[in-house]
Amino acid sequence: MEGSSEVVNCLENGSSSEGRPPNPLAAAYRQCFSGPRVAAVAPCKKKSLVRHASLSNTASISIEPRLNIEDHAIDYLPILRSGAWGDIGFRSSMEDAYVCVDDFIHDYGLKNVSDGPNAFYGVFDGHGGKDAANFACNHLPRFIVEDEDFPMEIERAVSSAFLQTDTAFAEACLLDAALASGTTALAALVVGSYPIAVDGGPGWVGAGPVHVARATAASWSDLASLNSLIVANAGDCRAVLCRRGKAIEMSRDHKPSCSHERKRIEALGGYVSDGYLNGQLNVARALGDWHMEGLKGSRGGGPLSAEPELKTTRLTEEDEFLIIGCDGIWDVFMSQNAVDFARRRLQEHNDPVMCSKDVVEEALKRKSGDNLAVVVVCFQPQPPPNLVVPRSKVHRSFSAEGLKELQSFLDSLET
């Protein structure tokens, strides 16, 4: 196990978010972002980014239906606490990265937004090197907040940010071929209310594309939902929500062999061989990998996609915590198994940092053969409660005399 002072790309082990994550690649990418070819993606305070061109057709975004939650959830206000841990595992180098930002809006300089929860958490599983994972870890959050659709159409902004990050990394690789690599990416956002125009004046609504002029009485309760959890995934990282002890999968693993991804791959001229995309990659969606032949077209139109799938739910009092992790965790944990394990640990110490470390160490004990990175986000200040299994109101049992009479009856039948 690596010591607690080890730096895992964007954050140190054993820490939750304390302000904006540092740029771990400042020296490596200083030249990449100084030229005119990538000036549009250089860090800046002004919101200058626009929607990615591939998102001009709104029907192309893959967004899962929202989970239906009772209307009383509107009054619920989650108290966010997060922690993360990573370990090199049995690999020769560390290519996983993670980031925790509990105050996403404030830390990235966006003003005039509600005081409700606004947090960003991400895990990135690099392959072929660590540069793509580090790049996405550092730049994806900024692309989200600087998108012209954020925060009014947050799902569209997140989808665009994935594609913008992919394109920006391609530009960086053109300037420095040594950066060539790829990464899966999973981002989880917890968002509260934010401003819109209501009858010419300011108002507050929740996550999702919202235009009050088009809202009807029937749809208003959904549009006005507060405190939403939005998960965007491209690859085989996974997010699992614990809702009163039950595991709710908030993402789908993008493996080339699954039927949904195979159809998409083959429709774009690719193929799946022995579980690998074009015989080269064991994930169907990823950022980067521009150096690999036949995976991405000039505009990312090849069989390897950087576009995420999104799933949104409204948080309620029953939601206890969220686990997001790279595939090294899920190689040895089933989703419900991970929730059960983390829940017991949180009941013991109620510390998301220690819980993240516990999950990683347990994965090592179970002989996970990959790098390991996990983030645990708690939504309550108290530990998860003990769940009481309801007992049957009617209890029936045989007395010793009754058993003897039954045995005598059965013996008489045999004779």
Side-chain angles (χ1 to χ4, degrees):
M1 179 69 195
E2 298 292 314
S4 60
S5 62
E6 176 197 3
V7 176
V8 183
N9 299 331
C10 288
L11 285 177
E12 291 186 358
N13 262 344
S15 65
S16 60
S17 63
E18 293 293 341
R20 187 184 310 173
N23 183 351
L25 303 173
Y29 294 119
R30 189 173 293 115
Q31 298 300 322
C32 296
F33 287 92
S34 60
R37 299 187 64 179
V38 292
V41 299
C44 59
K45 294 183 179 179
K46 183 179 179 181
K47 291 180 65 178
S48 58
L49 302 182
V50 297
R51 180 185 303 172
H52 193 276
S54 67
L55 294 179
S56 57
N57 181 3
T58 59
S60 66
I61 303 177
S62 178
I63 300 176
E64 292 285 335
R66 290 176 174 81
L67 303 181
N68 293 324
I69 304 297
E70 293 81 357
D71 289 340
H72 70 79
I74 294 178
D75 299 326
Y76 170 63
L77 182 67
I79 306 299
L80 299 180
R81 299 178 296 123
S82 68
W85 202 265
D87 193 280
I88 193 173
F90 297 100
R91 294 293 183 91
S92 59
S93 62
M94 182 64 171
E95 297 178 344
D96 286 0
Y98 60 78
V99 59
C100 299
V101 187
D102 288 328
D103 196 350
F104 179 48
I105 299 300
H106 176 268
D107 292 343
Y108 280 83
L110 194 62
K111 300 179 180 179
N112 300 322
V113 181
S114 91
D115 294 329
N118 291 282
F120 177 91
Y121 308 99
V123 289
F124 308 88
D125 187 348
H127 48 263
K130 63 182 181 180
D131 292 307
N134 285 350
F135 186 96
C137 177
N138 185 66
H139 292 284
L140 179 61
R142 184 178 300 280
F143 274 106
I144 293 175
V145 297
E146 293 184 352
D147 190 281
E148 64 178 11
D149 287 332
F150 184 85
M152 301 301 294
E153 298 187 18
I154 193 167
E155 290 166 328
R156 192 174 310 284
V158 171
S159 292
S160 180
F162 270 66
L163 300 176
Q164 296 280 7
T165 302
D166 190 41
T167 302
F169 186 65
E171 296 283 352
C173 290
L174 286 176
L175 298 175
D176 185 356
L179 302 178
S181 55
T183 184
T184 62
L186 185 145
L189 291 88
V190 180
V191 294
S193 55
Y194 45 75
I196 61 167
V198 181
D199 296 331
W204 298 96
V205 299
V210 177
H211 299 280
V212 174
R214 296 191 306 223
T216 64
S219 64
W220 175 252
S221 63
D222 180 62
L223 294 178
S225 64
L226 306 182
N227 309 319
S228 294
L229 170 64
I230 302 165
V231 174
N233 181 49
D236 56 3
C237 295
R238 189 183 305 172
V240 181
L241 174 66
C242 174
R243 176 166 290 163
R244 192 169 170 78
K246 181 181 179 181
I248 307 292
E249 292 188 348
M250 293 294 297
S251 64
R252 175 168 52 183
D253 300 349
H254 295 139
K255 293 293 188 181
S257 55
C258 78
S259 59
H260 179 79
E261 291 300 312
R262 181 188 288 268
K263 291 179 181 178
R264 182 188 62 77
I265 289 168
E266 292 176 347
L268 293 171
Y271 64 92
V272 178
S273 175
D274 196 24
Y276 283 75
L277 171 57
N278 284 13
Q280 303 177 75
L281 202 60
N282 67 346
V283 290
R285 303 195 188 200
L287 281 64
D289 295 313
W290 292 91
H291 61 292
M292 301 181 74
E293 292 291 334
L295 293 187
K296 288 187 173 178
S298 59
R299 296 185 179 180
L304 179 63
S305 175
E307 182 179 346
E309 282 189 312
L310 287 91
K311 192 169 186 177
T312 300
T313 186
R314 188 191 307 166
L315 295 173
T316 74
E317 296 92 336
E318 292 189 338
D319 295 314
E320 299 169 356
F321 59 89
L322 176 74
I323 305 173
I324 64 174
C326 296
D327 68 327
I329 299 294
W330 308 111
D331 287 343
V332 293
F333 276 104
M334 300 292 287
S335 295
Q336 185 64 55
N337 179 222
V339 162
D340 293 341
F341 179 86
R343 201 171 190 275
R344 289 193 299 269
R345 292 298 186 266
L346 289 171
Q347 287 176 331
E348 293 174 4
H349 49 61
N350 197 28
D351 186 337
V353 174
M354 291 181 62
C355 183
S356 301
K357 182 179 179 182
D358 291 340
V359 172
V360 168
E361 290 183 339
E362 180 65 19
L364 288 171
K365 291 178 182 178
R366 299 185 183 192
K367 306 300 181 184
S368 175
D370 204 349
N371 295 150
L372 300 163
V374 66
V375 175
V376 174
V377 184
C378 295
F379 303 122
Q380 312 280 355
Q382 66 275 4
N386 291 321
L387 298 178
V388 179
V389 179
R391 300 179 63 182
S392 174
K393 295 182 179 180
V394 179
H395 301 277
R396 296 182 176 88
S397 61
F398 285 102
S399 65
E401 292 181 356
L403 288 173
K404 288 182 179 179
E405 292 181 2
L406 177 60
Q407 186 63 50
S408 298
F409 175 74
L410 294 176
D411 291 343
S412 65
L413 293 177
E414 294 178 357
T415 59

